[in-house]
Amino acid sequence: MFARIGQLARHLSRPFPHYAHPSATLATRPAISGTIMSSAAATEDRGTRMIHTAGCIIIGDEVLGGKTVDTNSAHFAKYCFLLGMQLKRVEVIGDDEAEIVEATRRMSENYDFVVTSGGIGPTHDDITYESIAKAFRLPLKLHDETVKRMKALSKPHPSQKNFSWDVPSPALDAKLRMARLPIDESRDIESQVLFVDESLWVPISVVNGNVHILPGVPRLFTQLLDGLKPLLLPRLENPEGEGVYRILFATPMAESEVAGYLTMLAAEVEPKGVKVGSYPKWGKKLNSVTLVGKDKEYMESLVPQVEKGVDGIRIEREEDADESEDEEEGS
C-alpha cells in the first residue's frame, strides 16, 4: 500500500500541462505532441466532415485596448445561426504569438469550423499568419496566385507614387508579407487557399483543415464569409442552409413571475433540441421570451401554450415589443 501511495505522490508532484495559461512563452512550453499534430488523413477529415460546431477568434491589441469595436464576432454569430451551426465560443486575444498558437490549436481540436479575424496586414504587429503557421509546424510560403491577384486588383496608395512591383523596396516587402501563407506541402494547395470573391485579391487561408484565417476589416470579413457559404452548405445538416429557428414572445410579466413555468417548459422541450430563453428589458414594460431550435413544426405547436404560460403574445421582431409599448402610451 505504501508503495502505491509513493507512486501517487510522485505522479501528483509532476507539473500539470500548460493548457490553462496561454500567456506563457513558447520557450517554456513542451514540444507539440503527436496527438496535437494530426495526421494528413485527420486534417483532410476536418476539412470535409459535417459541420455542427464553430469557434471564432478575434485577434488584435486594438480591440482589447478599446480603440476598435469588434463587430465581426456579432456578424459571425448571426452567420452561424442562419446556417444552423452552433457557435460554441468567441475569444478576443491580442497580437501575441503564444496566445494565437494556443487558441488556434485548441479551437481546431474542439470545433468543426473555426475562423480568425485580424492580424494579416503588412506591418510588424500583423503576426497571425506566422503564429498559426507555428501552431501547426508549417512553413510560410509566398503564394504566387495571391501575388498575381494582388497586382491585378490592388492599387498603390497615393503616397506611393514611385512604387513598383519590379523594384525591391520596403513597401514591396510589406505587401508581399500579406501573401506569405501557412502551407502544408504534403496536401493539395487549392484546398488551403480559397478565393471566394472575384473582386478581392485577399484569400481565405485554411490551416489544419478547419481554421479559416480572415482579415479584421469588417467589410472584407463579411464579404469573404458570404463567398465561403456555397462551400459550406454541402457540409451542413440542412444543405439548404435554413439553419435554426427562433420564435419570440413579448410578456408583461416579471422574469421571477414566469421563471417557474419556463423551467418546466425547458425540461419538456429539451429532448426535442429546443432551448428556452428569457431576457429582461430594463426600463421597458415588456420582457422577451424565446424558443430556439431546428424542429420548426414542433416549435410552432408550442406557441399557444407559451403565450398562455407567460401571458404574452408572439412577435416577429424584438423591436415589435417596444413599438407596441409606444402605441399603448400614445393611445
Side-chain angles (χ1 to χ4, degrees):
M1 181 179 74
F2 291 108
R4 289 197 295 272
I5 292 175
Q7 291 173 349
L8 178 60
R10 287 193 297 273
H11 174 74
L12 293 176
S13 67
R14 295 171 183 166
F16 287 100
H18 229 315
Y19 302 142
H21 301 284
S23 60
T25 62
L26 291 176
T28 62
R29 295 185 176 202
I32 304 173
S33 69
T35 57
I36 294 178
M37 285 305 297
S38 303
S39 66
T43 300
E44 291 294 336
D45 175 66
R46 272 190 291 272
T48 56
R49 69 191 179 196
M50 295 294 288
I51 298 174
H52 301 285
T53 59
C56 177
I57 307 172
I58 305 298
I59 301 171
D61 290 342
E62 67 277 12
V63 178
L64 290 175
K67 178 180 179 295
T68 298
V69 176
D70 164 48
T71 59
N72 288 345
S73 62
H75 177 82
F76 186 63
K78 294 176 183 177
Y79 183 85
C80 290
F81 184 88
L82 292 173
L83 292 181
M85 293 185 281
Q86 189 174 5
L87 179 58
K88 302 289 286 185
R89 181 174 292 271
V90 174
E91 292 187 14
V92 182
I93 60 178
D95 296 301
D96 180 281
E97 183 181 88
E99 296 263 358
I100 297 170
V101 167
E102 189 277 333
T104 51
R105 284 181 188 164
R106 172 168 42 81
M107 286 215 188
S108 179
E109 183 69 23
N110 291 343
Y111 308 124
D112 300 320
F113 178 67
V114 178
V115 301
T116 73
S117 163
I120 61 172
T123 58
H124 70 283
D125 56 346
D126 292 306
I127 61 171
T128 296
Y129 282 145
E130 60 193 76
S131 298
I132 294 180
K134 180 170 285 190
F136 299 100
R137 286 185 173 171
L138 298 175
L140 282 178
K141 295 287 186 179
L142 187 65
H143 188 251
D144 293 338
E145 180 62 21
T146 298
V147 175
K148 178 180 177 182
R149 293 172 67 94
M150 188 189 297
K151 290 180 178 180
L153 297 173
S154 68
K155 297 179 180 179
H157 189 271
S159 66
Q160 298 175 312
K161 296 178 180 178
N162 297 320
F163 175 80
S164 171
W165 289 102
D166 301 316
V167 179
S169 67
L172 177 59
D173 291 340
K175 288 180 181 292
L176 294 181
R177 178 185 176 90
M178 297 184 287
R180 298 187 190 279
L181 311 177
I183 298 294
D184 183 345
E185 295 175 302
S186 69
R187 299 177 54 235
D188 174 38
I189 299 296
E190 290 187 2
S191 66
Q192 301 178 65
V193 185
L194 307 178
F195 293 101
V196 298
D197 191 311
E198 289 302 314
S199 69
L200 301 175
W201 66 262
V202 184
I204 298 177
S205 175
V206 184
V207 180
N208 207 39
N210 65 348
V211 178
H212 299 71
I213 306 174
L214 277 72
V217 178
R219 179 182 67 82
L220 298 179
F221 182 85
T222 57
Q223 198 168 336
L224 289 172
L225 275 181
D226 289 343
L228 185 61
K229 182 178 175 180
L231 301 180
L232 300 179
L233 290 181
R235 299 171 57 197
L236 301 177
E237 186 175 338
N238 184 336
E240 297 303 316
E242 293 181 4
V244 183
Y245 299 98
R246 179 186 283 125
I247 297 179
L248 298 169
F249 301 87
T251 173
M253 308 298 287
E255 270 200 306
S256 56
E257 187 68 25
V258 298
Y261 168 72
L262 294 180
T263 299
M264 291 188 293
L265 177 65
E268 175 188 337
V269 302
E270 191 273 336
K272 292 280 192 176
V274 177
K275 290 189 175 183
V276 179
S278 176
Y279 306 95
K281 304 184 74 175
W282 300 106
K284 298 289 184 178
K285 294 180 180 179
L286 301 178
N287 293 325
S288 297
V289 170
T290 64
L291 300 179
V292 176
K294 296 183 178 181
D295 190 337
K296 186 177 183 180
E297 183 177 353
Y298 173 66
M299 292 167 62
E300 291 287 349
S301 73
L302 295 171
V303 170
Q305 172 191 341
V306 177
E307 287 184 325
K308 181 178 179 180
V310 301
D311 191 21
I313 59 171
R314 178 178 181 171
I315 56 177
E316 294 302 318
R317 304 172 302 138
E318 197 80 40
E319 297 81 5
D320 291 345
D322 299 334
E323 291 173 3
S324 64
E325 288 183 19
D326 294 339
E327 291 172 3
E328 181 180 329
E329 290 177 356
S331 60

